[in-house]
Amino acid sequence: MKHARLIVLLSSLLMLAACSHGAHRDALRDQLVANAGWSSAIVSANQFDVAASWKTPVPGQGKTHPKTLFVYLEGDGLAYIRPNRASNNPTPDDPVGLRMAIADPHSGPVLYLARPCQYVIPDHGRNCARPYWTLQRYAPEIVDSLGTTLDIFKTRLAAENLVLVGYSGGGALAVILAAQRHDVVGIVTVAGNLDTSYWTGRDKLSPLAGSLDPADFATKLGNLPQVHFAGANDTTVGPDVTRAFMARLPKNTPVSAITVPDFTHFCCWARDWNQLSRRTELSAIPGWQ
């Protein structure tokens, strides 16, 4: 009996610690958004609730391309706490995608979308289950939920065109979403996991069963301007994954690959994004000033 009570007590303490950690991650996002003067909301989008933050344009600015919405898609977040143990909450410890969005230099509207199940557990985590941030992280229902969220904010912010900017797993989702829509005019990925079959095979990982593979959509993107950033020292994904994806693009695709020396998967995209986002290669993206 004492042993059973001890197990229950330890389980309760672990749950409290997990909740506290999740609250700390939520508070970090809230602080970043507040400091930037942005707005936030949780949107009900099909099967999931999606946490969004956005900057509205300053009146009188953004006249060159006022109807282009720049959308930043967060990475996979805290999918695992150990190699073989999934987390209870995929909210990232440090939201690199959000920090990049806030550093975006455009005067027009900028939107940040967390992945479904990030920043919504426990109060708004409809249908959230571990497979959706592990093996099924790019499942069709994940993509559909983000697509609906894009439609909602496209109307709310009076946009006509979308430029999708995806960090890490957000890069995979940017590619898949762009292949399924007709309003995306450009893709930018940063440390993007763009060929998951190649990646899991290279690292001897379990295949992402139930997920879509962005590389399978490459043939549909031959006319879409793209810029793909990779860190030279990224041992999590790496430039070779970018090359594997680009090898599947149709010939003459307007695409550029930029490998940044000394950068890893995490460092230092957010810190240097304001500068990196002014690279001349990005001028190929419609609306990118």
Side-chain angles (χ1 to χ4, degrees):
M1 183 65 71
K2 289 183 178 179
H3 182 65
R5 284 199 295 267
L6 180 59
I7 291 175
V8 171
L9 176 60
L10 289 174
S11 299
S12 299
L13 291 173
L14 288 172
M15 290 178 65
L16 286 171
C19 290
S20 176
H21 190 203
H24 174 75
R25 288 176 276 165
D26 291 348
L28 174 60
R29 189 279 306 261
D30 293 343
Q31 181 181 12
L32 290 170
V33 169
N35 290 345
W38 284 28
S39 303
S40 289
I42 294 176
V43 177
S44 178
N46 300 347
Q47 185 171 328
F48 300 100
D49 298 317
V50 177
S53 300
W54 65 95
K55 177 190 76 171
T56 53
V58 177
Q61 295 186 8
K63 293 181 178 180
T64 305
H65 297 279
K67 296 184 179 180
T68 298
L69 174 60
F70 297 89
V71 183
Y72 284 73
L73 302 171
E74 188 58 82
D76 294 332
L78 189 64
Y80 291 88
I81 56 176
R82 289 199 293 270
N84 295 314
R85 183 177 177 183
S87 74
N88 293 323
N89 183 339
T91 298
D93 282 326
D94 186 20
V96 175
L98 175 59
R99 291 185 186 274
M100 289 173 55
I102 292 172
D104 182 283
H106 295 101
S107 58
V110 178
L111 172 67
Y112 164 80
L113 298 181
R115 290 285 312 278
C117 301
Q118 294 178 350
Y119 298 110
V120 296
I121 295 174
D123 295 333
H124 299 277
R126 286 187 303 120
N127 299 308
C128 287
R130 287 186 184 89
Y132 285 123
W133 54 86
T134 55
L135 298 183
Q136 297 178 38
R137 63 185 71 180
Y138 314 130
E141 50 268 43
I142 293 285
V143 177
D144 290 345
S145 180
L146 288 171
T148 296
T149 308
L150 289 177
D151 293 337
I152 291 170
F153 279 97
K154 185 180 171 184
T155 299
R156 180 178 294 189
L157 299 175
E160 291 184 359
N161 304 317
L162 305 176
V163 172
L164 303 182
V165 185
Y167 165 69
S168 189
L173 291 166
V175 166
I176 299 168
L177 284 162
Q180 296 182 357
R181 300 179 65 93
H182 301 288
D183 53 2
V184 177
V185 297
I187 304 171
V188 179
T189 71
V190 175
N193 195 350
L194 305 182
D195 189 330
T196 56
S197 294
Y198 171 84
W199 173 67
T200 56
R202 182 198 69 183
D203 292 352
K204 297 179 173 57
L205 303 172
S206 298
L208 300 186
S211 285
L212 300 172
D213 187 339
D216 291 339
F217 295 85
T219 56
K220 297 182 179 181
L221 300 173
N223 295 320
L224 193 65
Q226 307 167 46
V227 177
H228 303 294
F229 287 85
N233 294 342
D234 183 351
T235 58
T236 303
V237 177
D240 56 320
V241 176
T242 303
R243 291 192 293 268
F245 169 76
M246 291 178 60
R248 298 182 62 174
L249 290 169
K251 291 183 179 180
N252 301 318
T253 298
V255 60
S256 297
I258 300 173
T259 300
V260 184
D262 301 324
F263 274 42
T264 68
H265 192 68
F266 303 101
C267 180
C268 303
W269 302 109
R271 185 195 70 187
D272 292 354
W273 183 243
N274 187 273
Q275 178 182 354
L276 291 170
S277 64
R278 301 174 191 274
R279 292 279 301 240
T280 57
E281 293 91 338
L282 288 163
S283 63
I285 305 293
W288 201 284
Q289 303 172 32

